[in-house]
Amino acid sequence: DAGVIQSPRHEVTEMGQEVTLRCKPISGHNSLFWYRQTMMRGLELLIYFNNNVPIDDSGMPEDRFSAKMPNASFSTLKIQPSEPRDSAVYFCASSSPTPGQGTYGHTGELFFGEGSRLTVL
Amino acid sequence: AQTVTQSQPEMSVQEAETVTLSCTYDTSESDYYLFWYKQPPSRQMILVIRQEAYKQQNATENRFSVNFQKAAKSFSLKISDSQLGDAAMYFCAYSGRGGADGLTFGKGTHLIIQP
């Protein structure tokens, strides 16, 4: 089975440009997460979707960041306008529902994509 | 809010020896999950081991085992017979059992394996 697929793997852009990162979760998983990883701050949860609905977006840094999940097999993270401090590795991860407990929530075990390394000059 | 603390930024061990990575966490919940993830230079995050808080027995996966001390809120990872391929960043992570949130990660421990 294919794992979580992210694109692009690398993105270099100039300050002020729009950046769109894409993610395809594992089929059958009901939860999707966007994380940002930097040396200074480590892994930070940006947003969590359950059944395509944003559950917790308290980690989204500011209005320049937005995330969507139009269907169960696709999500985007957009930064507009981008700034040099947005340079980081952005991970998408997905998780499956807990067996016997319906479709709300997840098992807690996250499967990560390979990440998108963003450099904003 | 839950917090996860890894107090060892870097650890070094001789190949074939045993090493223990420390992790403490803070939560007011009684049931939750704890994880150790490995991130090699390829940067792919790989699950190493998982512990459910309601289970008293410590989880084990081949050469990897944990020492889960619920009262002390401690969750250490022991790697036995260390191999060169174990060199990586190791992250401790917490998740509430209800699955209503994402994982909270510690800052990581960089493990170096000396040949």
Side-chain angles (χ1 to χ4, degrees), chain A residues 97-103:
Chain A
T98 303
Q101 296 193 17
T103 59

Side-chain angles (χ1 to χ4, degrees), chain A residues 9-10 33 35 37 40-41 43 45 48 55 89 91 104-110 112-115 117, chain B residues 33 35 37 39 42-47 50 91 95-107:
Chain A
R9 289 289 318 270
H10 304 276
F33 309 82
Y35 280 87
Q37 185 178 33
M40 290 297 295
R41 302 173 70 92
L43 278 155
L45 177 64
Y48 158 43
I55 303 299
V89 179
F91 285 101
Y104 179 73
H106 59 89
T107 63
E109 179 178 348
L110 270 58
F112 284 79
E114 294 181 317
R117 179 179 294 280
Chain B
Y33 300 115
F35 305 86
Y37 279 84
Q39 186 179 39
S42 67
R43 85 175 182 231
Q44 176 86 49
M45 294 287 286
I46 303 164
L47 178 66
R50 161 188 166 151
F91 293 93
S95 173
R97 184 170 178 86
D101 50 16
L103 266 61
T104 300
F105 285 87
K107 289 292 176 66

Side-chain angles (χ1 to χ4, degrees), chain A residues 79-108:
Chain A
I79 308 172
Q80 167 64 22
S82 58
E83 297 182 3
R85 60 193 169 117
D86 302 331
S87 297
V89 179
Y90 291 81
F91 285 101
C92 177
S94 68
S95 185
S96 59
T98 303
Q101 296 193 17
T103 59
Y104 179 73
H106 59 89
T107 63

Side-chain angles (χ1 to χ4, degrees), chain A residues 47-74:
Chain A
I47 189 167
Y48 158 43
F49 291 89
N50 183 255
N51 295 319
N52 313 336
V53 176
I55 303 299
D56 180 5
D57 64 356
S58 59
M60 295 286 266
E62 48 198 270
D63 291 346
R64 297 185 298 106
F65 285 69
S66 63
K68 294 182 179 179
M69 191 165 186
N71 57 61
S73 59
F74 184 66

Side-chain angles (χ1 to χ4, degrees), chain B residues 8-52:
Chain B
Q8 306 153 316
E10 187 172 280
M11 292 282 285
S12 181
V13 64
Q14 290 288 129
E15 194 176 3
E17 296 294 307
T18 295
V19 63
T20 299
L21 309 184
S22 301
C23 173
T24 59
Y25 58 94
D26 188 27
T27 183
S28 58
E29 298 183 21
S30 59
D31 201 10
Y32 45 86
Y33 300 115
L34 294 166
F35 305 86
W36 279 98
Y37 279 84
K38 169 184 176 180
Q39 186 179 39
S42 67
R43 85 175 182 231
Q44 176 86 49
M45 294 287 286
I46 303 164
L47 178 66
V48 175
I49 200 164
R50 161 188 166 151
Q51 175 81 41
E52 295 175 75

